[in-house]
Amino acid sequence: MTEEPAGDTGLPASLEMAWGLRERPGKGPRPTLTLPKIVDAAVALAAAEGMDAVSMGRLAKELGVSTMSLYRYVTAKEELYILMSDAGVGTPPVPSGKEGAGWRELLSEWAYAQRAVLMANPWILRIPITGAPVSPNQLAWMERGLAAMADTGLEEGEKISTIILIGGLVRNEATMAADMMDAIVKSGVSPDQVMGQYLRTLRLMTGPDTHPAVTRLLESDAFSGSGEPDFQFGFGLNRILDGLAALISSR
């Protein structure tokens, strides 16, 4: 199946199958191995052991098949990654439908929903981005984000640029959180202990003469904050939305 040209879509056969444009490979008895089964097994492996554990050989072992049999469904590991990511993000949640919700509320809801998915499935962040989204669920997320701006008067190029900008914030913040959590887990101490040691180090290594701005930061309540866990993400998102509001108002 996968040795045939993908056709006018320009997609590999495995992605055409994900879109429902291709049937199962070959004729005869229905095989026990299917593309969804392969993807589900790869996702389970990534969730349990991380993306480094995912290889065609390891996946074949988990499924109890030969490695070559996987290539009837997925021609390369990069295709498998795209399918895994698509399965991991799932379909975007239905908008809450709050009365009077405008573009800002809809975009904010969209961003927080994306962030929740990535925080729950940090292995997705370890998949390299090799191109624009072409898989079903990824395009469903794009559609939902663009639709949030339907009544803004923005040009289509401005809408997709907004999606890219907010998506970058979401991915960057989720990646930093995942990296820090990995480091904390490996250190064997609690997050509070890690932060406490960091602050002690800063206070020992800085002072008002050499680092006045850092000193002012340490003297503030910035690190203790108000207890809002999403403050940094919310701050960044709202600044982007403030800028977008100014642009929309100017139209």
Side-chain angles (χ1 to χ4, degrees), residues 214-231:
V214 173
T215 300
R216 286 192 295 273
L217 175 67
L218 291 170
E219 290 174 348
S220 73
D221 63 350
F223 287 104
S224 57
S226 60
E228 183 182 349
D230 296 333
F231 172 79

Side-chain angles (χ1 to χ4, degrees), residues 6 8 43 52 77 83 89 97 180-181 189 195-196 200 207 211 229:
D8 293 339
V43 167
D52 288 344
K77 187 165 63 174
L83 294 166
V89 298
M180 291 182 66
M181 185 53 63
V189 298
M195 178 56 70
R200 285 192 293 273
H211 301 82

Side-chain angles (χ1 to χ4, degrees), residues 133-153:
V134 293
S135 55
N137 290 335
Q138 294 281 8
L139 284 178
W141 280 94
M142 181 190 290
E143 171 67 22
R144 185 63 51 78
L146 292 171
M149 294 176 279
D151 299 326
T152 59

Side-chain angles (χ1 to χ4, degrees), residues 22-245:
R22 282 180 180 255
E23 299 296 330
R24 65 183 178 88
K27 297 180 180 180
R30 182 172 294 276
T32 57
L33 192 63
T34 64
L35 186 61
K37 187 174 181 179
I38 293 170
V39 174
D40 287 347
V43 167
L45 188 57
E49 301 183 32
M51 282 301 299
D52 288 344
V54 180
S55 68
M56 298 299 269
R58 174 67 187 279
L59 189 55
K61 183 178 180 180
E62 293 291 321
L63 291 166
V65 300
S66 68
T67 302
M68 288 306 298
S69 65
L70 297 181
Y71 287 102
R72 297 184 65 214
Y73 297 84
V74 184
T75 59
K77 187 165 63 174
E78 290 71 25
E79 282 180 38
L80 178 63
Y81 285 172
I82 293 172
L83 294 166
M84 289 174 63
S85 179
D86 197 62
V89 298
T91 56
V94 176
S96 61
K98 291 185 292 186
E99 185 176 354
W103 65 266
R104 184 170 185 134
E105 291 79 11
L106 293 173
L107 270 183
S108 182
E109 189 176 285
W110 177 81
Y112 273 97
Q114 268 201 49
R115 178 174 177 264
V117 166
L118 294 180
M119 297 288 277
N121 302 278
W123 57 267
I124 297 175
L125 299 164
R126 309 309 182 191
I127 296 178
I129 297 176
T130 57
V134 293
S135 55
N137 290 335
Q138 294 281 8
L139 284 178
W141 280 94
M142 181 190 290
E143 171 67 22
R144 185 63 51 78
L146 292 171
M149 294 176 279
D151 299 326
T152 59
L154 293 174
E155 298 175 1
E156 297 308 313
E158 293 170 334
K159 292 176 185 177
I160 190 61
S161 294
T162 299
I163 292 302
I164 293 171
L165 180 61
I166 295 177
L169 171 69
V170 171
R171 189 176 182 90
N172 182 64
E173 203 265 351
T175 299
M176 286 195 298
D179 288 347
M180 291 182 66
M181 185 53 63
D182 284 347
I184 289 171
V185 169
K186 290 176 182 177
S187 72
V189 298
S190 71
D192 287 343
Q193 288 175 307
V194 171
M195 178 56 70
Q197 182 56 61
Y198 175 65
L199 294 179
R200 285 192 293 273
T201 299
L202 284 186
R203 292 188 175 101
L204 286 170
M205 305 304 294
T206 65
D209 295 332
T210 58
H211 301 82
V214 173
T215 300
R216 286 192 295 273
L217 175 67
L218 291 170
E219 290 174 348
S220 73
D221 63 350
F223 287 104
S224 57
S226 60
E228 183 182 349
D230 296 333
F231 172 79
Q232 292 181 346
F233 178 71
F235 179 85
L237 177 61
N238 280 315
R239 299 299 71 76
I240 291 175
L241 298 180
D242 286 346
L244 195 61

Side-chain angles (χ1 to χ4, degrees), residues 13-30:
S14 60
L15 281 171
E16 287 195 337
M17 287 186 69
W19 278 102
L21 300 178
R22 282 180 180 255
E23 299 296 330
R24 65 183 178 88
K27 297 180 180 180
R30 182 172 294 276

